[in-house]
Amino acid sequence: MLSVDVSKAASFLPLPYEEALRPMLAKASGWLQNGGGKGSDFIGWVRLPEDYDKEEFARIEAAAAKIRKDSAALVVIGIGGSYLGARGVIECLCSPNYNLKKKDGPNIYFIGNGLSSAALREVYELAEDRDFSVNVISKSGTTTEPAVAFRFFKALLEKKYGKEGAAKRIYATTDRARGALKSLADAEGYETFVVPDDVGGRYSVLTAVGLLPIAAAGVDIKALMAGAADMMQLCRTGDYSNPAWQYAALRNELYRKGRKVELLACFEPSFRFMAEWWKQLYGESEGKDERGIFPASVDFTADLHSMGQYIQQGERMLMETVVRFEPDDDQMIVPRDEADGDGLNFLAGRTLHEINTQAMDGTLLAHVEGGVPNMIVRAGKRDARTLGELIYFFEYACGLSGYVLGVNPFDQPGVEAYKKNMFALLGKPGYEAMGDELRAKLAR
Ligand code: PA5
């Protein structure tokens, strides 16, 4: 089971902070478990690992099996919380090179997460000559980026398979009743999956939002949910034996002492998109009211050769959280070379994990020595169950941490600002006056 090692971070804090924070954490725990805190309409994810729609779960598994059978590619259209979790889990468990590997399942392409013409064209061309399906994901059903991408892929599917054939290959994950995507899906007869009302986008990876693409990649989603359920039990604990309490308390206290940036690090490159998911989770939950830790991420050891200099000796506003997995079973072993021209025979016979572990420990000691508090999240093997634990742990700790910080961890009012400006500049009906005003500002 996942645990948090605070020993290389707590020493940066002169006073015992746990006691001071205990009442606030107890209150925050109560708000997550029973409501009553800010944004409590959006705490449906807290019980999700046991309290989910079992009938829908079976439909997700059936849809994934159908996609794996009839599609060489699955195009996943979504942005933010409607995409990062699925991509994180798939890359972490199936590899960032998943699409290049020999496998039983479809290639998976993520699009609708931006407005780049080149990115859209590339996925369009990768999909057009093969049998493919589309999973369009948008809780609101009105987000511009995925809606624009969906237009292209809907038209392509209809051209390839006819309207009826296309409808059998489009899976829409959206609100139960509202939004343009829901209306379109009902009108066209797409199979639909629900983003529950009380689960916000960045907390939705364990709903159909994440589960359908993850299952289509061949990941055992029952194991994912089981891991999350185990962590849910642990997170119910209202004291410091709860790893989410330990993490939330420590990062808040370090923030108060001037550590404004948290780096999430991992020594497995396949973790990169899990870190992207984590950045959205924490950045969108805590960055408001002119407060909040800035979440950033690094891939080690690669980034030790780029960001390592700054981490070691730059401005001391950093804290670091390192996710460590237990070793994969299938280890590469460094071969012996009789000539030993590179002088590496001292490593011959050792597994890459053994070497990576020394890199982790060496980095830990160096960064702590350099003045960067380090928290270690010790996770199990890189499998579905472990990722379920990790996802729930980070979500729960985020809810606690946001409440301790004093913000609403479940809204994102700031995201609207760019959207309004973009609509006004694009001339969306109703935004005309604002468009004139913004154009004048740009011309100044
Ligand atoms: O966490 C959130 O709420 C956001 O990041 C959303 O997931 C993102 O803006 C996409 O929204 P939607 O799913 O409504 O298209």
Side-chain angles (χ1 to χ4, degrees):
M1 184 63 110
L2 177 150
S3 63
V4 177
D5 178 350
V6 299
S7 61
K8 301 290 184 293
S11 53
F12 284 80
L13 298 168
L15 296 168
Y17 59 92
E18 288 103 328
E19 278 318 305
L21 283 179
R22 186 188 294 276
M24 191 55 229
L25 278 163
K27 196 181 257 187
S29 254
W31 287 336
L32 290 182
Q33 292 296 330
N34 309 311
K38 289 179 187 165
S40 61
D41 287 350
F42 292 96
I43 55 170
W45 56 272
V46 171
R47 291 203 169 71
L48 202 57
E50 67 181 13
D51 188 12
Y52 60 90
D53 182 338
K54 310 291 183 303
E55 181 275 330
E56 181 177 74
F57 193 87
R59 278 198 305 116
I60 291 170
E61 290 187 310
K66 176 175 176 292
I67 293 166
R68 287 173 69 75
K69 216 163 133 195
D70 71 7
S71 301
L74 173 66
V75 177
V76 180
I77 300 177
I79 194 167
S82 288
Y83 125 86
L84 286 167
R87 184 159 186 181
V89 172
I90 292 169
E91 290 209 0
C92 190
L93 298 182
C94 309
S95 163
N97 297 318
Y98 166 82
N99 284 345
L100 301 174
K101 287 168 72 172
K102 279 202 195 112
K103 58 192 175 294
D104 295 335
N107 281 355
I108 297 190
Y109 301 117
F110 292 96
I111 197 68
N113 48 58
L115 291 163
S116 153
S117 174
L120 185 66
R121 182 184 300 283
E122 185 172 278
V123 174
Y124 191 93
E125 288 176 358
L126 285 166
E128 76 181 327
D129 292 332
R130 49 181 83 193
D131 283 318
F132 76 97
S133 297
V134 166
N135 181 197
V136 53
I137 309 168
S138 175
K139 182 176 183 190
S140 62
T142 55
T143 306
T144 309
E145 290 90 336
V148 167
F150 183 54
R151 272 208 175 189
F152 285 89
F153 286 95
K154 177 177 180 289
L156 180 59
L157 279 174
E158 288 176 354
K159 192 167 111 198
K160 250 174 114 87
Y161 302 103
K163 232 176 157 28
E164 232 173 81
K168 293 197 174 78
R169 288 175 172 273
I170 297 174
Y171 303 87
T173 306
T174 189
D175 187 86
R176 190 180 306 278
R178 284 180 305 250
L181 180 57
K182 175 64 181 161
S183 313
L184 184 65
D186 287 348
E188 304 276 345
Y190 307 151
E191 176 157 20
T192 57
F193 298 97
V194 171
V195 193
D197 284 346
D198 55 0
V199 179
R202 59 190 175 276
Y203 292 85
S204 70
V205 55
L206 299 176
T207 71
V209 169
L211 294 178
L212 179 54
I214 291 169
V219 173
D220 180 351
I221 56 172
K222 283 199 181 88
L224 190 75
M225 294 303 273
D230 286 348
M231 187 49 66
M232 183 184 74
Q233 296 301 342
L234 189 54
C235 284
R236 274 185 183 145
T237 316
D239 60 41
Y240 278 103
S241 65
N242 177 342
W245 270 51
Q246 295 168 28
Y247 178 56
L250 187 50
R251 65 195 295 282
N252 265 285
E253 197 56 21
L254 286 166
Y255 173 66
R256 274 182 220 167
K257 295 283 182 300
R259 304 295 169 153
K260 305 288 186 198
V261 177
E262 180 179 2
L263 291 175
L264 188 73
C266 186
F267 286 71
E268 283 297 338
S270 67
F271 194 74
R272 182 176 152 217
F273 264 87
M274 283 302 296
E276 295 299 322
W277 167 82
W278 172 89
K279 285 195 291 202
Q280 185 202 358
L281 181 64
Y282 279 79
E284 222 169 58
S285 298
E286 295 191 314
K288 51 197 70 161
D289 306 338
E290 301 191 0
R291 272 180 266 178
I293 298 167
F294 183 83
S297 63
V298 278
D299 297 338
F300 288 160
T301 61
D303 287 341
L304 290 172
H305 298 260
S306 57
M307 298 302 290
Q309 171 58 37
Y310 192 106
I311 300 169
Q312 193 66 43
Q313 295 182 325
E315 189 173 342
R316 303 295 71 190
M317 83 301 199
L318 300 174
M319 60 177 118
E320 206 172 1
T321 298
V322 184
V323 175
R324 288 193 183 197
F325 290 102
E326 284 174 15
D328 295 340
D329 292 334
D330 190 13
Q331 283 292 318
M332 298 288 281
I333 297 175
V334 179
R336 174 166 297 281
D337 182 307
E338 282 319 315
D340 198 24
D342 53 13
L344 278 185
N345 269 354
F346 77 102
L347 295 178
R350 298 202 201 179
T351 65
L352 260 289
H353 175 75
E354 208 182 325
I355 301 170
N356 209 9
T357 304
Q358 304 320 311
M360 288 180 216
D361 286 345
T363 306
L364 171 71
L365 293 173
H367 288 183
V368 170
E369 191 75 25
V372 181
N374 260 249
M375 297 169 268
I376 303 170
V377 176
R378 294 189 194 281
K381 280 195 192 304
R382 212 156 39 96
D383 59 21
R385 205 175 175 106
T386 294
L387 278 205
E389 284 180 23
L390 195 62
I391 286 167
Y392 192 90
F393 160 74
F394 274 133
E395 287 181 348
Y396 202 85
C398 186
L400 287 179
S401 190
Y403 278 145
V404 169
L405 184 67
V407 300
N408 175 353
F410 307 115
D411 67 358
Q412 55 284 328
V415 180
E416 292 310 308
Y418 101 91
K419 287 189 196 167
K420 281 190 197 140
N421 286 354
M422 179 176 74
F423 290 149
L425 291 168
L426 285 168
K428 186 171 175 171
Y431 289 80
E432 293 81 356
M434 189 177 168
D436 292 341
E437 208 179 290
L438 293 182
R439 272 183 287 278
K441 273 193 194 166
L442 284 173
R444 252 180 237 153

